Amino acid sequence: MRVEKATARYLDMYQKLYHRSPRELRDLGNDWVLVNGARMSVDQLENLTGELALEYERYVKTRRSAVQRLLNWFLRA
């Protein structure tokens, strides 16, 4: 069950960030997964998912900042 939740969360984050599915995401058993050719433990996958989440948050924040600057520019014009 832990592997299923970790892979589902990783898949969701990956799709949000890259707008596509990973090439490969497979459960190898005994808390090991294969992600885009790299074998890793579920703990490593959860850490990787956390890094993707931080990267996604930075992306969203940057995008909001650009939109806010545009809105402010239109309000001043």
Side-chain angles (χ1 to χ4, degrees):
M1 192 65 148
R2 180 175 177 222
V3 174
E4 292 171 4
K5 286 183 181 182
T7 55
R9 186 165 179 256
Y10 173 81
L11 180 62
D12 180 53
M13 256 316 123
Y14 192 94
Q15 288 176 334
K16 281 182 179 179
L17 190 58
Y18 300 115
H19 306 289
R20 63 182 174 86
S21 296
R23 269 191 334 249
E24 186 175 30
L25 181 60
R26 213 169 20 141
D27 181 4
L28 298 176
N30 295 329
D31 286 344
W32 287 93
V33 293
L34 190 64
V35 180
N36 294 334
R39 182 178 181 219
M40 62 181 71
S41 69
V42 174
D43 291 333
Q44 292 170 319
L45 180 62
E46 289 172 344
N47 289 337
L48 179 59
T49 303
E51 291 176 23
L52 289 178
L54 289 174
E55 190 173 333
Y56 181 72
E57 287 175 26
R58 282 193 298 269
Y59 164 75
V60 169
K61 193 178 288 186
T62 302
R63 190 170 173 184
R64 280 187 193 144
S65 176
V67 170
Q68 190 62 44
R69 285 193 309 267
L70 277 173
L71 288 174
N72 288 337
W73 184 81
F74 282 121
L75 288 173
R76 290 186 210 141

